[in-house]
Amino acid sequence: MLDNLRSKVISIIDQDNTVVEKLQAICDLLKENVAYYDWVGFYFKNGEKDELKLGPYSGEPTDHTIIPFGKGICGQVAVSNQNFVVPDVKAQDNYIACSITVKAEIVVPLFVNGKNVGQIDIDSNTPDPFTRSDERFLEFINAEVAKIL
């Protein structure tokens, strides 16, 4: 199913829209088409500050519009430059709860010219839903997004 969305992501990237509109369309596409993607959003490095700022997202509003590097799953990925798959958020000491319904999270860093500029963050209300296929798919999305940043 994820493979079927790859061509749709490419067509969104190729549209004559702003970057923000493209990122919003990707978030909406993923949330609407992957049953266990309950919140989908992009965070980006906030200028020269060691923090992330929320960009386009699809799902319930969040209070976490700014996340310091090192805090929560997103903040840890900003420092580690590594994918972070969390099968059970309750088992994580350094987890920032966005919603009591969230059971699992996956965060994949977004690189432009080898530099970590942001990430895609997915919350799921389903326990342990993420596989290697999700990681590869989100890496693909970030590689496509990097072309327009």
Side-chain angles (χ1 to χ4, degrees):
M1 181 221 9
L2 296 176
D3 285 339
N4 297 341
L5 295 176
R6 287 176 185 251
S7 62
K8 291 181 178 172
V9 168
I10 290 170
S11 73
I12 288 170
I13 295 290
D14 289 343
Q15 289 173 2
D16 191 21
N17 289 332
T18 67
V19 170
V20 170
E21 289 168 333
K22 291 175 185 186
L23 295 178
Q24 186 63 59
I26 290 169
C27 291
D28 294 343
L29 175 77
L30 299 187
K31 185 175 182 305
E32 291 164 12
N33 289 280
V34 184
Y36 53 95
Y37 285 14
D38 294 295
W39 191 94
V40 179
F42 287 94
Y43 282 92
F44 291 98
K45 187 171 189 311
N46 192 9
E48 293 305 310
K49 298 177 184 170
D50 283 342
E51 65 185 23
L52 297 164
K53 185 174 183 179
L54 181 62
Y57 70 92
S58 187
E60 292 296 314
T62 178
D63 292 336
H64 304 289
T65 57
I66 300 289
I67 298 176
F69 281 15
K71 298 291 182 192
I73 308 308
C74 290
Q76 290 176 74
V77 169
V79 174
S80 74
N81 299 322
Q82 302 289 319
N83 296 353
F84 200 154
V85 180
V86 183
D88 177 7
V89 295
K90 287 187 176 70
Q92 285 295 317
D93 292 337
N94 191 4
Y95 173 70
I96 300 172
C98 289
S99 165
I100 58 168
T101 59
V102 174
K103 304 282 187 271
E105 183 173 11
I106 184 171
V107 180
V108 175
L110 198 165
F111 297 97
V112 174
N113 298 324
K115 185 175 179 194
N116 184 345
V117 299
Q119 54 200 229
I120 190 167
D121 177 23
I122 312 241
D123 290 343
S124 181
N125 300 340
T126 305
D128 196 12
F130 303 115
T131 67
R132 289 255 183 254
S133 295
D134 292 286
E135 282 191 79
R136 299 297 86 80
F137 177 60
L138 298 173
E139 288 167 353
F140 161 80
I141 288 173
N142 282 354
E144 292 300 312
V145 167
K147 295 174 185 175
I148 60 170
L149 295 179

